[in-house]
Amino acid sequence: MPTRFRIICLLAVSMAIARPAYADETAPAPPWPAIEFKGFGTLGVARSDSKDSQFVRDLSQPDGLGKHWSGKTDTMFGLQANLTLSPRTGAVMQGLVRYRYDGSWRPELNLAFLRHDLAPDFTLRAGRMGTEFYLQADARQVGYASTMLRPPADYFGPIVVSYFDGVDASLTGDTGYGLLRGKLFAGWAAEKTPVVKPHTWDLRGSRMAGAYLDYLNGPWQMRVSRSQIRFQHELPLDAVAGFPILTLAPELGIEGHHATYDSLGLIYDEGRLQVQGQVSSIHYDTSAYEDTRAGYVMLAYRVGPVTPYLSYSRSRSRAASLSTPTVPALQTAIRQFMAQTHSDQATYTLGARWDFQRNLALKAQLDMIRADRSSRFPQRYTQNDWDGSLNVFSLALDFVF
């Protein structure tokens, strides 16, 4: 177990056994800890109509869809244990099986934290927790909790950090016109992510911090957030490029550099109607990745057990600067390498969700990607002769128990 994770666990245990100052000294001892098991999963198949660009759910997947049906993009299974230690203290552990960065399906521990309510409106957590860079980002693996079959890849695809080891604190207050909820978090990333087979990028130990503010009033929820990560390890660019690209262009170095995520999200959900939308900006203080702006809007309308929906998402990046002087031939090769992180595309989505039985939902979805021929993110292995058109056909069964 990494040293940082052990320290966090010890902190969490200390927090869990600490008695709140407002506790009733005459109250009887709490009952023996209670434990509850829950599960969720998705059985999904999908295919595309192109052999020139591979669609992935997000960039944590090493490869994506081709013209043959595959279950690797959306299929996953999770099991969660909720342990109640006292009326104000609890623990959560969650394991997940999904298609991983290394092409395997090995189970991973993606949640393992202790939660303690210092007051009814003030909560501390410590351990391994889901990232909340954007609204709904921490639950994007639970398909049943979402109307759409999968989160819009144009928007959520670049987020390759799904959990971290650290602490967070949340405070909720009633303004008289709605609830305000704020959260601060800090910690370290705990995953690896693929680059180009067989190369991976080690994100473990990268420092993370962020905050968000929610406003909730009836059917409305709005969130503004900012998160930042400082990368601990270098990308394996020399191995991927096949020549010493970091020596020739040190601006491409990413060790010690930052990525900053800003977002604004809004959800309206009442009766039959559900509307949600988000906009975001990702800024890198390195030329290894292009700064990106993205957004999406989704409209759904429930008709009995069936919920048809449509969505539009857009992603566009700005070319990174490169000032290191090199010979023209190498300059061209370096810029072609940098262009692999360029994004300029839109996705039109049509789909339907059928809640045919309690805790079971069947979904069908069509994604029509229309991109500039120069666009590469967030697909994988896009060929130079790709015409920018890619259609993805998907079916999925979501369940919880």
Side-chain angles (χ1 to χ4, degrees):
M1 183 181 294
T3 302
R4 288 192 183 102
F5 195 55
R6 289 200 299 267
I7 294 173
I8 292 169
C9 289
L10 289 173
L11 174 63
V13 171
S14 300
M15 182 179 69
I17 63 177
R19 183 174 55 189
Y22 57 83
D24 184 357
E25 299 292 342
T26 64
W32 186 258
I35 190 168
E36 180 183 16
F37 291 97
K38 299 180 179 180
F40 63 90
T42 298
L43 298 175
V45 292
R47 62 174 292 266
S48 77
D49 63 353
S50 175
K51 60 180 178 58
D52 298 322
S53 186
Q54 296 184 12
F55 176 86
V56 290
R57 183 184 182 93
D58 57 52
L59 291 173
S60 70
Q61 297 181 329
D63 50 66
L65 298 172
K67 287 191 170 185
H68 300 288
W69 290 97
S70 172
K72 64 184 179 184
T73 301
D74 300 303
T75 297
M76 61 187 69
F77 177 79
L79 185 62
Q80 178 173 309
N82 296 338
L83 177 64
T84 301
L85 299 171
S86 76
R88 297 191 179 277
T89 306
V92 173
M93 293 189 68
Q94 184 182 103
L96 185 67
V97 177
R98 59 174 175 168
Y99 189 54
R100 287 164 47 90
Y101 72 94
D102 57 359
S104 74
W105 292 80
R106 292 199 306 272
E108 56 188 314
L109 183 67
N110 63 319
L111 292 180
F113 64 83
L114 278 168
R115 187 209 80 253
H116 184 66
D117 298 330
L118 292 178
D121 55 359
F122 183 39
T123 299
L124 294 178
R125 300 190 304 173
R128 177 163 293 178
M129 296 167 289
T131 54
E132 297 183 82
F133 287 4
Y134 301 153
L135 183 62
Q136 298 186 320
D138 60 330
R140 64 187 187 275
Q141 310 293 356
V142 186
Y144 188 84
S146 174
T147 299
M148 300 178 66
L149 189 144
R150 72 177 69 86
D154 293 335
Y155 192 81
F156 289 93
I159 302 180
V160 295
V161 181
S162 58
Y163 53 81
F164 72 102
D165 298 333
V167 295
D168 69 19
S170 60
L171 179 65
T172 304
D174 190 346
T175 67
Y177 298 95
L179 295 178
L180 277 179
R181 180 176 60 203
K183 177 176 284 190
L184 298 172
F185 73 87
W188 299 270
E191 299 168 88
K192 293 183 178 181
T193 193
V195 183
V196 176
K197 287 182 177 180
H199 306 292
T200 61
W201 181 21
D202 191 355
L203 294 169
R204 295 173 299 179
S206 298
R207 292 204 303 266
M208 298 169 50
Y212 70 74
L213 182 65
D214 278 350
Y215 173 73
L216 302 98
N217 186 358
W220 294 95
Q221 180 181 1
M222 183 177 71
R223 174 178 296 182
V224 58
S225 68
R226 164 165 281 200
S227 304
Q228 189 174 81
I229 180 170
R230 182 183 185 275
F231 299 111
Q232 178 72 14
H233 304 289
E234 194 63 77
L235 272 164
L237 294 183
D238 289 355
V240 174
F243 61 95
I245 190 170
L246 284 175
T247 302
L248 298 169
E251 297 102 317
L252 298 180
I254 201 164
E255 181 180 347
H257 290 272
H258 300 81
T260 303
Y261 303 80
D262 294 304
S263 73
L264 175 65
L266 182 67
I267 294 177
Y268 175 85
D269 191 350
E270 186 172 32
R272 294 184 175 185
L273 180 64
Q274 181 185 145
V275 181
Q276 59 179 259
Q278 298 194 62
V279 292
S280 69
S281 172
I282 307 176
H283 171 70
Y284 301 92
D285 63 0
T286 170
S287 297
Y289 286 92
E290 296 187 1
D291 292 348
T292 302
R293 292 183 178 180
Y296 78 92
V297 61
M298 189 275 292
L299 173 66
Y301 192 80
R302 303 178 183 92
V303 183
V306 178
T307 306
Y309 58 86
L310 56 88
S311 170
Y312 172 80
S313 58
R314 184 79 169 88
S315 174
R316 189 169 187 177
S317 65
R318 182 178 58 191
S321 61
L322 185 65
S323 59
T324 304
T326 58
V327 296
L330 288 176
Q331 188 85 350
T332 300
I334 292 172
R335 289 201 172 277
Q336 288 177 343
F337 185 85
M338 293 171 60
Q340 298 305 307
T341 67
H342 182 62
S343 177
D344 186 0
Q345 69 178 43
T347 302
Y348 305 86
T349 299
L350 297 173
R353 169 180 175 143
W354 178 27
D355 290 271
F356 65 95
Q357 191 170 321
R358 180 178 173 84
N359 297 336
L360 291 172
L362 186 64
K363 299 176 184 177
Q365 184 167 305
L366 167 64
D367 296 286
M368 297 170 285
I369 299 171
R370 300 297 179 262
D372 185 85
R373 295 175 64 93
S374 63
S375 184
R376 295 293 180 268
F377 257 27
Q379 276 73 250
R380 288 203 176 276
Y381 300 105
T382 301
Q383 305 301 310
N384 290 331
D385 57 352
W386 181 47
D387 64 2
S389 177
L390 177 66
N391 298 310
V392 179
F393 310 90
S394 308
L395 291 171
L397 175 66
D398 292 325
F399 57 90
V400 293
F401 58 90

